[in-house]
Amino acid sequence: MGMDRVYNFSAGPSMLPLEVLERAGAEITNYQGSGMSVMEMSHRSKVFQKIFDDTKANFIRLFHVPDNYKVLFLQGGASGQFSMVPLNLIGRTGKADYAVTGNFASIACKEAKKYGSISLAASSEDRNHTYIPQQDQLKLDPEASYFYYCANNTIYGTEWQYVPDTGDVPIVCDMSSNFLSRPVDVSKYGVIFGGAQKNLAPAGLTIAIVREDLAGHELPYTPLMMNYKTMIDKDSMYNTPPCWCIYMLGLVLEWLDAQGGVEGMEKIKHSKAALLYDVLDNSRLFTCAAEKDSRSDMNVTFRSASEELDAKFVKEATAAGFTNLKGHRNVGGMRASIYNAMPVEGVEKLADFIRAFDKNN
Ligand SMILES: Cc1ncc(COP(=O)(O)O)c(C=O)c1O
């Protein structure tokens, strides 16, 4: 760890690998002899074009994106995709299915209702989003233009452990909070998207992976900037892209590659999460918010029996160098977000801290 750096358990924006930050720091005023910062470069320059092309190629290679998909580097956040998805995809039948397993899927569902007829394929609201519905609980419409779900529910700490079977209906998935934490069979999806600010890069970049045949069927009033086809045709450079974030993504992907790619991440992410869940399950004071078979490997949500004790935990953890552990107000308690860049050591030390707190209180 660099001097004075904390273990930052923020849900996002969140930790970036220290090597990446140091490399960006070293290159910040003069990128590889260009005499300027990446922040100062024209997005049409040769130097930046190479950064862009290499980053995109590495993303495609590391995430195993098939040839009939386009990778787009967009802005507007994952929230922008809540509008872009229906605008571009719902025109086929006018209908779509949404599984609402948390806050962001709920917002996406509400937004989509502006553009078509939306049916609730599943909801976990009955138990405050503590679980993920099983395949046989999904109410699927074979005529839906697409089926939508959020792979990892950042706030509630639940994660889909399977890819839904929707027959011929294309699947749209928000992977904001578990992007590149494990291999994904992209060919099972129509669109995958996510904000970069958890696992991939600083805030400001949104990645969308779009099956090419799904683009070009947008509703007639789709804003130019929200049209997948516009961005595909111009290779994400219809307008100025988020250049700095794309450069940072490139550095994170180089780091990821050196860790064994998404396969390497998958190996450690589950053991990192298991370390925390084991300590919590064996504690006297703490209970986990999510049901066992739906627990997220990225966001570990837990609480003690009282708000006072939760507050004491957060305060003492912060003083010990474990920051941003306060849970989201919808859930209360605590949340430890342990994305790709959180070192195993940080999780081990937090597990020790939880064990000691449990013993002493
Ligand atoms: C799963 C998920 N989807 C969507 C969002 C919203 O993302 P953005 O702030 O990039 O619009 C978040 C933000 O935390 C999220 O966790």
Side-chain angles (χ1 to χ4, degrees):
M1 292 283 272
M3 246 211 307
D4 299 333
R5 276 179 62 81
V6 293
Y7 290 112
N8 177 8
F9 292 89
S10 169
S14 37
M15 280 187 96
L16 287 163
L18 183 61
E19 295 120 273
V20 166
L21 295 173
E22 284 174 343
R23 167 97 177 267
E27 293 180 338
I28 202 159
T29 59
N30 187 350
Y31 175 75
Q32 297 189 1
S34 64
M36 63 180 85
S37 172
V38 175
M39 285 187 262
E40 302 170 302
M41 269 171 205
S42 165
H43 58 295
R44 309 278 178 206
S45 65
K46 266 203 185 118
V47 185
F48 183 75
Q49 188 67 51
K50 180 159 169 34
I51 293 172
F52 184 97
D53 293 342
D54 290 350
T55 301
K56 198 175 85 169
N58 277 335
F59 187 93
I60 289 168
R61 177 174 59 85
L62 288 163
F63 201 52
H64 314 298
V65 180
D67 286 347
N68 58 325
Y69 288 76
K70 295 290 176 192
V71 173
L72 302 177
F73 294 149
L74 308 171
Q75 302 186 55
S79 304
Q81 294 304 301
F82 298 168
S83 318
M84 222 161 148
V85 163
L87 280 165
N88 285 272
L89 303 189
I90 210 165
R92 195 166 61 85
T93 64
K95 303 196 286 181
D97 283 346
Y98 276 69
V100 173
T101 55
N103 176 64
F104 295 106
S106 168
I107 298 171
C109 180
K110 202 170 155 210
E111 176 66 7
K113 286 178 180 165
K114 293 176 186 167
Y115 306 111
S117 166
I118 304 303
S119 81
L120 198 59
S123 167
S124 51
E125 208 180 350
D126 56 337
R127 300 207 295 274
N128 195 31
H129 299 308
T130 50
Y131 71 102
I132 299 295
Q134 294 307 305
Q135 173 74 40
D136 60 9
Q137 296 174 288
L138 305 178
K139 289 193 283 295
L140 300 171
D141 176 358
E143 280 172 21
S145 299
Y146 60 91
F147 167 88
Y148 181 103
Y149 78 108
C150 176
N152 185 78
N153 299 285
T154 322
I155 292 176
Y156 297 92
T158 60
E159 188 169 8
W160 288 66
Q161 314 291 338
Y162 68 102
V163 181
D165 180 357
T166 59
D168 291 333
V169 174
I171 300 175
V172 175
C173 185
D174 176 356
M175 288 193 189
S176 292
S177 49
N178 64 356
F179 232 167
L180 271 65
S181 68
R182 73 210 148 108
V184 166
D185 182 354
V186 176
S187 71
K188 288 187 172 166
Y189 293 86
V191 174
I192 294 170
F193 69 85
Q197 64 271 22
K198 300 167 201 303
N199 257 347
L200 297 177
L205 168 66
T206 309
I207 299 171
I209 305 165
V210 180
R211 208 177 76 200
E212 213 175 351
D213 62 292
L214 296 176
H217 308 289
E218 70 283 351
L219 296 174
Y221 49 82
T222 301
L224 188 56
M225 284 291 298
M226 301 205 94
N227 187 340
Y228 286 137
K229 193 75 173 53
T230 311
M231 288 302 181
I232 288 173
D233 287 348
K234 299 288 181 189
D235 198 9
S236 302
M237 288 225 218
Y238 172 76
N239 70 325
T240 317
C243 303
W244 170 257
C245 296
I246 291 167
Y247 158 74
M248 288 295 289
L249 171 64
L251 297 186
V252 170
L253 292 177
E254 276 182 39
W255 171 86
L256 190 85
D257 203 2
Q259 315 296 309
V262 290
E263 291 76 13
M265 284 300 120
E266 183 178 43
K267 276 189 201 135
I268 62 165
K269 63 124 189 174
H270 191 66
S271 55
K272 282 189 327 193
L275 257 172
L276 293 183
Y277 287 123
D278 284 351
V279 173
L280 293 165
D281 285 342
N282 291 307
S283 72
R284 295 171 306 127
L285 297 179
F286 299 107
T287 49
C288 293
E291 292 179 18
K292 247 183 187 157
D293 61 358
S294 303
R295 287 172 172 177
S296 165
D297 282 345
M298 297 283 109
N299 311 96
V300 177
T301 46
F302 60 103
R303 67 163 59 80
S304 73
S306 80
E307 283 181 26
E308 292 71 37
L309 202 54
D310 287 347
K312 184 169 188 262
F313 177 89
V314 171
K315 193 169 169 224
E316 291 182 11
T318 306
F322 308 105
T323 67
N324 291 310
L325 283 165
K326 191 171 165 18
H328 188 278
R329 62 190 175 280
N330 291 8
V331 183
M334 280 73 71
R335 169 177 53 177
S337 297
I338 47 173
Y339 300 120
N340 287 353
M342 172 58 70
V344 175
E345 180 197 58
V347 179
E348 284 169 352
K349 287 188 172 163
L350 178 63
D352 290 343
F353 180 86
I354 296 172
R355 213 177 283 114
F357 189 93
D358 187 59
K359 201 170 143 213
N360 301 332
N361 284 273

